[in-house]
Structures are given as C-alpha cells and as structure tokens.
Amino acid sequence: MTKTVLILLAAGGVASAQDFLENEAPNLGGILFPSLHAAAVYGDSSRDPADLAAHGHDPNDQFTLQGIEAGLSLRAGEYLEGFANGVLFMDLEDDFDTEWEEAFLKLANLPGGFEVRGGRMLNRVGRQNATHLHAWDFVDANLLTSRFLGDEGLITNSVELTWLVPTPFESALSIAFGETVPHEEHAHGDEEEHEGEEEEEEEEHELEGEDGLFDTDVLTLRYEGIWHYNDFHRFRFGGSFLVGDNRFMRTTTATGLDFEYGYYENGLEGGGRSVRWRTEVMCREVEYQHEDGDGRGTSDELGLSTQVLMGLTEDWTAGLRYDWVEGSDDLHELPERHRLSAAVTRHLSFGDDADGWVRLQVNHEDHEEYGDECSVWVQFGLNWGGAEVR
C-alpha cells in the first residue's frame, strides 16, 4: 500500500513537469502541489558507521540513501489544507524500504486565530523534530532529537490545536495529543558479531534505554515566537514540553528551550552574507521499573545542541555544530556523547522550482563506550517543488 502511494505521488510530479518547464509553480489543478526530495551520502568512519548513527536517517554505511521523499500538499481555498509524504530509503541490508512520515489535514484561518491539524504528523517539539531530511543544515540529526524523541524523531497519529497568539511579534502556541507511531528497529553494527554480546547484556541489564521513549499516548506543547528587530536582525525563541507513557508502563517527561539569532546583510531583499546562531537545551525524566514491578526509580538526562551557520555567499554556507547528551547510569545503552561537526555546503540552482546541494562534513566524537571517533561524509541532495504545508 505504501509503495503504491509513493508511486502515485511521484506520478503527480511527472504530470506537472510541463508546468515546471514553462516556469510555473508545479501544481495539479491549482489545488495539489507535488514535491520531490532526495538525499544520499558517501563516506566512512573510524569504526562501523552504524555504531555511531543515532537517527534513522543518519549515515549508517559507506554509502547511504538517506531518503527519497515524495510529498503532496493540498491547498483547497482559504480554510482547508493538507500534506502527505512517503520516504523511500535503503536499510542496513542494502534493501529498499518505505514508510509514511506524515499524512494530515489542516483547518486554517479559523476565527480567533486558531488552526487545527489531524492525522499523522511530526510533532512540533524542539527545533529539528518537525523538519524533514531535505531541510537539515547538517548531514546528520543533532543528538537531542534521537536520544530524547526516538531514532525517527517523534511521529504521532494525533490532533493538534494551534493558536496564533496576538502579540507584537509573530508567535504561536500548539498543543497536540495522540498515539506514537511505532517504528521498525534500526540495527546498529554487525548483528552476527555482537549477537553473543547482546545475549549477555540482556541477562545483566533489565532496564534498556529505548524503553524510556514515548510510547502510546503522548501530550506535546510548543510555544514559538519570532521577533524581527529590523530588516537585518531576527530573533527566534521557543519552548517545548512533552509527557506520556513509556515502555516501562510508567511516565516520561521532556522539557526543552531553544533560541536563535539571525543577521542578514541585505535584510528582506535576500542574498548577501548571513549568520545564524542556534542553541537548544533539553532535559528528560524517565520513570522506570523492572519487569516484576520492583526496583522503581527515575532517570534524569540533559542534552545540548548549539550551531553557527554562516552564509559566505549566495551559494556557499559554512556550519559548525556541537552536540552533547549526558548519558544515564540507570538505563542501558544511553552513553554520554560529545560530537563536534564542521560542514561546508555548496548550494545549486536549477530554476525557480528546483535546487540542490553538495555538502562536505567532518565529525569528531568523544563516545563514552567507543572513545574518540571520526567520520567524513559527502552528501548530495536535490529538491523539486514548492513550499510544503506545515
């Protein structure tokens, strides 16, 4: 079923190719707006890349097809919008697999400044969770997203209410409630090599870190504001709160704060040099218990991600990012990690509705379990289509 929908979405892109060639916005009947994105990465690490991959779309082999995303946005008048996208990717066995990422309808421009979304969605929590792969600033996801929200981020089948708060600056408050979408487990490392070790670990450790992730019902809350000091300086700030059941049949709570400053040399005209500095802090509290119901406790964990992106020219961007997650002494397979990433991106343009990029990135990591590790990646990406409904 999923593969069939992906084919139909891709066919929609082909059907609107004539509009694209005529320099018009790609659309079907002025209501449906297809999009297509692709990202692949080649490189290597000082150890098996799968051991260092944290997010489901992170590089996990010398060559990784991170994803081909086929999307379709719905804009049916002033009030009804929607979005659906599926992802084709390559797993660790070099087999192609597919998954739904989002499929929701949205009622916009309601009285009082309200919006309502319903369906499958990437929840609005933190700065990266609701961002698709093609819009990432680095080859891999920051460590906060995968550690606290899951190796695919937090995706739920839920209902979300957003209030566009009437403040002197742009701001919005969103609250959503629903059920998490289960994901297939992503293997890390050589399964045969570690099979015996895993059996021993299971006997020694009853409290697995992945059991602290949100499971079944979850409530998310997000407030975000954007203050345009003037045409050249912009401030963006937000806070997130999540609470829900975990796999220990107890409660996990997460809280995050984020801040971004942006300077743009040409202001609203675009182009020119720019600087964006973003910092996000997140903490998580996991209530756990042993399978027999005894040995209850709480595990606390803190994480930080900060990055600077410099637009050197219209076509070149340089980025530096530092990630840290504290690790847990109570839950297994939650090591402390420090990671420094440096990236240079060459942006490409193929017309009004198509662009791409080539990105070189180097990671250096201090991993509690593996020690010092390094990775070098070259990423290639393509985008086609207009803006997606969010």
Side-chain angles (χ1 to χ4, degrees), residues 204-219:
E204 298 175 2
H205 302 276
E206 298 181 33
L207 302 173
E208 297 297 332
E210 64 180 16
D211 291 336
L213 294 173
F214 293 101
D215 191 50
T216 65
D217 295 337
V218 60
L219 174 73

PDB file of all heavy atoms in Angstrom, residues 204-219:
ATOM      1  N   GLU A 204      22.394  -9.229  31.981  1.00  0.00           N
ATOM      2  CA  GLU A 204      22.916  -8.358  33.006  1.00  0.00           C
ATOM      3  C   GLU A 204      22.083  -7.096  33.188  1.00  0.00           C
ATOM      4  O   GLU A 204      22.026  -6.535  34.276  1.00  0.00           O
ATOM      5  CB  GLU A 204      24.354  -7.972  32.656  1.00  0.00           C
ATOM      6  CG  GLU A 204      25.301  -9.174  32.595  1.00  0.00           C
ATOM      7  CD  GLU A 204      26.678  -8.751  32.117  1.00  0.00           C
ATOM      8  OE1 GLU A 204      26.872  -7.538  31.881  1.00  0.00           O
ATOM      9  OE2 GLU A 204      27.554  -9.618  31.997  1.00  0.00           O
ATOM     10  N   HIS A 205      21.445  -6.619  32.124  1.00  0.00           N
ATOM     11  CA  HIS A 205      20.714  -5.355  32.173  1.00  0.00           C
ATOM     12  C   HIS A 205      19.238  -5.605  31.863  1.00  0.00           C
ATOM     13  O   HIS A 205      18.902  -6.081  30.795  1.00  0.00           O
ATOM     14  CB  HIS A 205      21.286  -4.358  31.156  1.00  0.00           C
ATOM     15  CG  HIS A 205      22.742  -4.072  31.373  1.00  0.00           C
ATOM     16  ND1 HIS A 205      23.192  -3.134  32.269  1.00  0.00           N
ATOM     17  CD2 HIS A 205      23.855  -4.609  30.809  1.00  0.00           C
ATOM     18  CE1 HIS A 205      24.519  -3.102  32.242  1.00  0.00           C
ATOM     19  NE2 HIS A 205      24.932  -3.980  31.358  1.00  0.00           N
ATOM     20  N   GLU A 206      18.399  -5.238  32.805  1.00  0.00           N
ATOM     21  CA  GLU A 206      16.966  -5.386  32.590  1.00  0.00           C
ATOM     22  C   GLU A 206      16.327  -4.080  32.142  1.00  0.00           C
ATOM     23  O   GLU A 206      15.212  -4.071  31.667  1.00  0.00           O
ATOM     24  CB  GLU A 206      16.302  -5.877  33.876  1.00  0.00           C
ATOM     25  CG  GLU A 206      16.778  -7.250  34.347  1.00  0.00           C
ATOM     26  CD  GLU A 206      16.074  -7.683  35.613  1.00  0.00           C
ATOM     27  OE1 GLU A 206      14.895  -7.330  35.771  1.00  0.00           O
ATOM     28  OE2 GLU A 206      16.697  -8.351  36.431  1.00  0.00           O
ATOM     29  N   LEU A 207      17.040  -2.967  32.316  1.00  0.00           N
ATOM     30  CA  LEU A 207      16.477  -1.648  32.023  1.00  0.00           C
ATOM     31  C   LEU A 207      17.133  -1.091  30.770  1.00  0.00           C
ATOM     32  O   LEU A 207      18.250  -0.579  30.809  1.00  0.00           O
ATOM     33  CB  LEU A 207      16.703  -0.707  33.215  1.00  0.00           C
ATOM     34  CG  LEU A 207      16.111  -1.166  34.542  1.00  0.00           C
ATOM     35  CD1 LEU A 207      16.548  -0.252  35.666  1.00  0.00           C
ATOM     36  CD2 LEU A 207      14.595  -1.220  34.465  1.00  0.00           C
ATOM     37  N   GLU A 208      16.466  -1.231  29.637  1.00  0.00           N
ATOM     38  CA  GLU A 208      17.001  -0.769  28.361  1.00  0.00           C
ATOM     39  C   GLU A 208      16.615   0.691  28.136  1.00  0.00           C
ATOM     40  O   GLU A 208      15.495   1.103  28.403  1.00  0.00           O
ATOM     41  CB  GLU A 208      16.470  -1.632  27.224  1.00  0.00           C
ATOM     42  CG  GLU A 208      16.893  -3.086  27.302  1.00  0.00           C
ATOM     43  CD  GLU A 208      18.397  -3.271  27.189  1.00  0.00           C
ATOM     44  OE1 GLU A 208      19.042  -2.425  26.539  1.00  0.00           O
ATOM     45  OE2 GLU A 208      18.925  -4.250  27.747  1.00  0.00           O
ATOM     46  N   GLY A 209      17.553   1.471  27.603  1.00  0.00           N
ATOM     47  CA  GLY A 209      17.310   2.882  27.383  1.00  0.00           C
ATOM     48  C   GLY A 209      16.157   3.155  26.449  1.00  0.00           C
ATOM     49  O   GLY A 209      15.401   4.114  26.635  1.00  0.00           O
ATOM     50  N   GLU A 210      15.990   2.322  25.399  1.00  0.00           N
ATOM     51  CA  GLU A 210      14.912   2.552  24.436  1.00  0.00           C
ATOM     52  C   GLU A 210      13.526   2.422  25.066  1.00  0.00           C
ATOM     53  O   GLU A 210      12.550   2.957  24.549  1.00  0.00           O
ATOM     54  CB  GLU A 210      15.043   1.588  23.259  1.00  0.00           C
ATOM     55  CG  GLU A 210      14.887   0.138  23.631  1.00  0.00           C
ATOM     56  CD  GLU A 210      15.026  -0.782  22.434  1.00  0.00           C
ATOM     57  OE1 GLU A 210      15.541  -0.336  21.392  1.00  0.00           O
ATOM     58  OE2 GLU A 210      14.618  -1.946  22.557  1.00  0.00           O
ATOM     59  N   ASP A 211      13.446   1.710  26.215  1.00  0.00           N
ATOM     60  CA  ASP A 211      12.153   1.576  26.883  1.00  0.00           C
ATOM     61  C   ASP A 211      11.711   2.865  27.556  1.00  0.00           C
ATOM     62  O   ASP A 211      10.565   2.988  27.988  1.00  0.00           O
ATOM     63  CB  ASP A 211      12.199   0.444  27.919  1.00  0.00           C
ATOM     64  CG  ASP A 211      12.301  -0.914  27.265  1.00  0.00           C
ATOM     65  OD1 ASP A 211      11.898  -1.031  26.095  1.00  0.00           O
ATOM     66  OD2 ASP A 211      12.793  -1.862  27.912  1.00  0.00           O
ATOM     67  N   GLY A 212      12.604   3.846  27.651  1.00  0.00           N
ATOM     68  CA  GLY A 212      12.243   5.135  28.207  1.00  0.00           C
ATOM     69  C   GLY A 212      11.620   6.082  27.204  1.00  0.00           C
ATOM     70  O   GLY A 212      11.153   7.166  27.564  1.00  0.00           O
ATOM     71  N   LEU A 213      11.590   5.699  25.899  1.00  0.00           N
ATOM     72  CA  LEU A 213      10.998   6.550  24.865  1.00  0.00           C
ATOM     73  C   LEU A 213       9.487   6.620  25.015  1.00  0.00           C
ATOM     74  O   LEU A 213       8.857   5.746  25.608  1.00  0.00           O
ATOM     75  CB  LEU A 213      11.353   6.010  23.480  1.00  0.00           C
ATOM     76  CG  LEU A 213      12.828   6.052  23.099  1.00  0.00           C
ATOM     77  CD1 LEU A 213      13.050   5.320  21.783  1.00  0.00           C
ATOM     78  CD2 LEU A 213      13.316   7.491  23.001  1.00  0.00           C
ATOM     79  N   PHE A 214       8.914   7.666  24.443  1.00  0.00           N
ATOM     80  CA  PHE A 214       7.464   7.822  24.481  1.00  0.00           C
ATOM     81  C   PHE A 214       6.805   6.682  23.721  1.00  0.00           C
ATOM     82  O   PHE A 214       7.223   6.311  22.628  1.00  0.00           O
ATOM     83  CB  PHE A 214       7.057   9.167  23.878  1.00  0.00           C
ATOM     84  CG  PHE A 214       7.511  10.347  24.689  1.00  0.00           C
ATOM     85  CD1 PHE A 214       8.628  11.073  24.319  1.00  0.00           C
ATOM     86  CD2 PHE A 214       6.831  10.719  25.834  1.00  0.00           C
ATOM     87  CE1 PHE A 214       9.065  12.151  25.067  1.00  0.00           C
ATOM     88  CE2 PHE A 214       7.243  11.803  26.589  1.00  0.00           C
ATOM     89  CZ  PHE A 214       8.370  12.527  26.208  1.00  0.00           C
ATOM     90  N   ASP A 215       5.748   6.143  24.302  1.00  0.00           N
ATOM     91  CA  ASP A 215       5.056   5.001  23.727  1.00  0.00           C
ATOM     92  C   ASP A 215       3.565   5.161  23.984  1.00  0.00           C
ATOM     93  O   ASP A 215       3.169   5.564  25.075  1.00  0.00           O
ATOM     94  CB  ASP A 215       5.586   3.699  24.349  1.00  0.00           C
ATOM     95  CG  ASP A 215       5.106   2.470  23.603  1.00  0.00           C
ATOM     96  OD1 ASP A 215       5.246   2.446  22.372  1.00  0.00           O
ATOM     97  OD2 ASP A 215       4.592   1.547  24.255  1.00  0.00           O
ATOM     98  N   THR A 216       2.749   4.852  23.006  1.00  0.00           N
ATOM     99  CA  THR A 216       1.278   5.026  23.063  1.00  0.00           C
ATOM    100  C   THR A 216       0.930   6.490  23.273  1.00  0.00           C
ATOM    101  O   THR A 216       1.350   7.322  22.498  1.00  0.00           O
ATOM    102  CB  THR A 216       0.632   4.107  24.129  1.00  0.00           C
ATOM    103  OG1 THR A 216       1.082   4.479  25.440  1.00  0.00           O
ATOM    104  CG2 THR A 216       0.999   2.652  23.883  1.00  0.00           C
ATOM    105  N   ASP A 217       0.190   6.858  24.315  1.00  0.00           N
ATOM    106  CA  ASP A 217      -0.344   8.213  24.450  1.00  0.00           C
ATOM    107  C   ASP A 217       0.738   9.217  24.836  1.00  0.00           C
ATOM    108  O   ASP A 217       1.562   8.963  25.727  1.00  0.00           O
ATOM    109  CB  ASP A 217      -1.441   8.249  25.518  1.00  0.00           C
ATOM    110  CG  ASP A 217      -2.656   7.426  25.123  1.00  0.00           C
ATOM    111  OD1 ASP A 217      -2.844   7.206  23.910  1.00  0.00           O
ATOM    112  OD2 ASP A 217      -3.398   7.002  26.025  1.00  0.00           O
ATOM    113  N   VAL A 218       0.715  10.386  24.164  1.00  0.00           N
ATOM    114  CA  VAL A 218       1.672  11.440  24.474  1.00  0.00           C
ATOM    115  C   VAL A 218       1.027  12.796  24.229  1.00  0.00           C
ATOM    116  O   VAL A 218       0.267  12.981  23.266  1.00  0.00           O
ATOM    117  CB  VAL A 218       2.968  11.294  23.640  1.00  0.00           C
ATOM    118  CG1 VAL A 218       2.667  11.366  22.139  1.00  0.00           C
ATOM    119  CG2 VAL A 218       3.989  12.352  24.016  1.00  0.00           C
ATOM    120  N   LEU A 219       1.304  13.742  25.115  1.00  0.00           N
ATOM    121  CA  LEU A 219       0.832  15.117  25.012  1.00  0.00           C
ATOM    122  C   LEU A 219       2.032  16.009  24.742  1.00  0.00           C
ATOM    123  O   LEU A 219       3.050  15.925  25.443  1.00  0.00           O
ATOM    124  CB  LEU A 219       0.148  15.556  26.310  1.00  0.00           C
ATOM    125  CG  LEU A 219      -0.272  17.024  26.398  1.00  0.00           C
ATOM    126  CD1 LEU A 219      -1.486  17.296  25.508  1.00  0.00           C
ATOM    127  CD2 LEU A 219      -0.599  17.407  27.844  1.00  0.00           C
TER     128      LEU A 219
END
